[in-house]
Amino acid sequence: MMKATITEIFSSIQGEGLYVGTKQVFVRFGGCQAACCWCDTPAQYQKVKKYTIEDVFKKIFVLRSGCHSVSLTGGEPLLQSDFIKELLPYIKKMRLKTYLETNGILYQELQKIIKNIDIVSMDFKLPSSTKSKAYWKEHKEFLKIARTKKVFVKAVISKDTQVKDVRKAISIIDAIDQRIPFILQPNYKENVLALKKCLEYHQMCQKTLTNVRIIPQVHKILKIR
Ligand code: SF4
């Protein structure tokens, strides 16, 4: 029987991106292959449990009241794409939308499940923000697949984010569709300094892209999950 490594399943409001304020059931998968310097999830990996499809279905069923969608989040959910592929039809049967929150790297895994995904919240990992490696090729391939559904791109902006990384992100989005929403998310640990950078880059992005927004992590401000 297929099992997934999951840290928690709960309902709350979405705190990031274009669907901020939307009530969702969150299924948080354990594990991630990226290494962002601000990541707060490694500690949660130690609390993971194994769930069957039936376990997850039952939890979502109990929590689903008033929810718009089920957020498959992490960690990186696409590391467990085979499990997600099996799970998605059950979520659809509950008449809930499927919302994928992903680091935007594993495009081959995305291809396996995209048919049953409604919304993709995709990160661009800017190396000067994450202090980690670049994934430009992966992000480009990923966005090509994701754009067949509702998609928006989100990038964390810190005081160290370099203009060349933002330019590269703009060029990838522009080459695919300049109307894809691009969200600049100020690093919550830096507040004013990160917001200043966001305002600077917002102006630059708007010269090419048609839907650019600055949206902070509302759940961090409200101190909720
Ligand atoms: S992609 Fe998300 S879960 Fe993975 S290291 Fe970065 S912040 Fe952490």
Side-chain angles (χ1 to χ4, degrees):
M1 190 183 296
M2 200 184 297
K3 288 191 178 178
T5 306
I6 289 172
T7 34
E8 53 183 350
I9 302 174
F10 60 98
S11 82
S12 186
I13 59 162
Q14 175 56 246
E16 297 182 357
L18 218 53
Y19 289 76
V20 72
T22 305
K23 193 176 174 202
Q24 296 181 317
V25 178
F26 291 80
V27 181
R28 189 186 303 286
F29 288 84
C32 182
Q33 84 286 34
C36 310
C37 61
W38 58 76
C39 184
D40 56 6
T41 50
Q44 295 169 3
Y45 299 163
Q46 285 144 28
K47 298 181 210 152
V48 292
K49 275 177 35 184
K50 292 279 184 188
Y51 286 75
T52 64
I53 300 278
E54 195 186 349
D55 295 334
V56 179
F57 172 79
K58 281 182 182 166
K59 281 261 189 189
I60 295 173
F61 191 82
V62 169
L63 293 165
R64 77 191 191 292
S65 174
C67 288
H68 161 270
S69 43
V70 175
S71 172
L72 306 162
T73 186
E76 174 47 51
L78 287 174
L79 288 173
Q80 302 184 70
S81 59
D82 291 340
F83 184 91
I84 291 175
K85 190 175 178 187
E86 296 283 313
L87 176 66
L88 289 173
Y90 291 95
I91 299 175
K92 292 279 184 186
K93 271 189 195 149
M94 286 185 267
R95 297 185 182 279
L96 290 164
K97 294 204 181 304
T98 53
Y99 181 105
L100 178 69
E101 293 194 72
T102 168
N103 59 27
I105 297 169
L106 301 171
Y107 59 91
Q108 283 139 330
E109 305 306 311
L110 177 69
Q111 187 67 67
K112 291 186 198 167
I113 65 162
I114 192 71
K115 186 176 108 194
N116 278 323
I117 293 289
D118 295 306
I119 303 158
V120 183
S121 164
M122 171 190 177
D123 283 354
F124 268 17
K125 297 296 181 189
L126 312 186
S128 55
S129 298
T130 61
K131 314 277 192 235
S132 186
K133 61 181 277 201
Y135 293 99
W136 301 123
K137 176 186 167 285
E138 290 86 348
H139 288 334
K140 188 175 175 185
E141 295 307 313
F142 199 102
L143 190 53
K144 280 187 206 164
I145 300 166
R147 74 179 294 226
T148 60
K149 301 299 174 92
K150 285 186 181 160
V151 62
F152 63 91
V153 175
K154 183 160 59 61
V156 172
I157 304 295
S158 77
K159 64 179 173 36
D160 299 325
T161 303
Q162 291 176 11
V163 68
K164 67 176 169 54
D165 287 351
V166 181
R167 285 212 179 99
K168 183 74 183 171
I170 294 169
S171 75
I172 291 174
I173 298 170
D174 185 37
I176 293 171
D177 187 340
Q178 64 179 196
R179 294 165 303 176
I180 293 170
F182 187 36
I183 314 291
L184 306 176
Q185 183 175 286
N187 182 351
Y188 76 96
K189 290 182 178 166
E190 295 172 353
N191 289 327
V192 178
L193 288 174
L195 180 59
K196 214 172 137 198
K197 278 274 179 184
C198 283
L199 289 166
E200 189 185 318
Y201 291 143
H202 182 265
Q203 204 162 7
M204 188 178 91
C205 295
Q206 276 192 315
K207 289 184 182 147
T208 308
L209 306 176
T210 61
N211 192 351
V212 186
R213 306 184 194 192
I214 299 171
I215 304 179
Q217 289 177 294
V218 170
H219 58 297
K220 301 273 189 200
I221 297 165
L222 297 177
K223 297 191 185 347
I224 57 171
R225 278 196 287 182

